[in-house]
Amino acid sequence: MADTYAKLLEDTIEIDAPTDRVWALVTDIPAMAKWSPQVVKSTVKGGVVTMGASFSNLNKQGLKRWPTGGKVVRFQPPTDATPGDFAFRIRENRTVWSFELEPTAAGGTRLTERRETPHGVSGLSLLLTKVVLGGQEPFTDELRRGIRQTLERIKAEAEA
């Protein structure tokens, strides 16, 4: 089966809130259901989000629901010298989702969300996307829209 998926999806938004406020939001995995249109519920094993933390998700597309598991693979809070970097790998498809936070000159945050595939996407995931989720191209378009919607919702909460 050919790898007919986008290797990198990303979008960026400017938020009028300090990086520590935005960091607190993006690292709150259970709250992701408020922002991501695909996530129904997330539960962190042990309740604490830090490097190596494992979690489970319930995802959705229309009436369809499916579980996934994730593990935090990068957890670098922002400092004056370095941007913040928070990432997790999804077990079932090997994708890595991340948030990069950079302070802006005006005291806000530039937030970038990415979906990367450093080790490709699993064959089973590619097959299920084709058969159950409408195919790679439509599903990738849905993910792009979902990233934008997630960023806009995080921005609204951070600026509230």
Side-chain angles (χ1 to χ4, degrees):
M1 179 179 302
D3 289 343
T4 57
Y5 57 90
K7 308 273 190 226
L8 174 68
L9 302 175
E10 73 174 13
D11 200 350
T12 300
I13 199 164
E14 299 279 331
I15 300 174
D16 187 20
T19 56
D20 60 336
R21 166 90 174 121
V22 178
W23 176 260
L25 295 175
V26 300
T27 59
D28 185 353
I29 290 174
M32 196 55 66
K34 294 190 302 185
W35 305 311
S36 171
Q38 190 179 76
V39 177
V40 175
K41 183 178 181 178
S42 296
T43 306
V44 178
K45 186 176 182 182
V48 179
V49 178
T50 190
M51 182 65 182
S54 296
F55 59 94
S56 60
N57 286 325
L58 180 60
N59 299 313
K60 69 177 178 177
Q61 181 194 58
L63 297 176
K64 300 171 210 145
R65 302 286 187 268
W66 67 95
T68 59
K71 183 175 185 174
V72 176
V73 295
R74 293 194 307 266
F75 191 89
Q76 177 63 52
T79 67
D80 291 339
T82 60
D85 184 23
F86 176 67
F88 50 87
R89 180 182 321 278
I90 300 300
R91 180 180 53 242
E92 289 76 9
N93 61 17
R94 301 189 307 239
T95 60
V96 175
W97 289 85
S98 66
F99 292 93
E100 181 181 74
L101 299 80
E102 300 174 85
T104 63
T109 304
R110 181 176 300 106
L111 179 63
T112 300
E113 182 179 3
R114 292 184 182 94
R115 197 260 354 227
E116 301 170 82
T117 58
H119 304 291
V121 175
S122 70
L124 178 59
S125 182
L126 290 171
L127 178 64
L128 289 173
T129 300
K130 179 180 178 181
V131 174
V132 179
L133 299 176
Q136 288 302 322
E137 201 170 317
F139 187 66
T140 297
D141 289 343
E142 184 177 327
L143 290 176
R144 278 190 184 98
R145 288 189 305 274
I147 288 170
R148 188 71 203 165
Q149 192 171 27
T150 299
L151 290 172
E152 289 172 351
R153 289 174 175 176
I154 291 169
K155 174 183 172 74
E157 183 151 338
E159 293 178 350

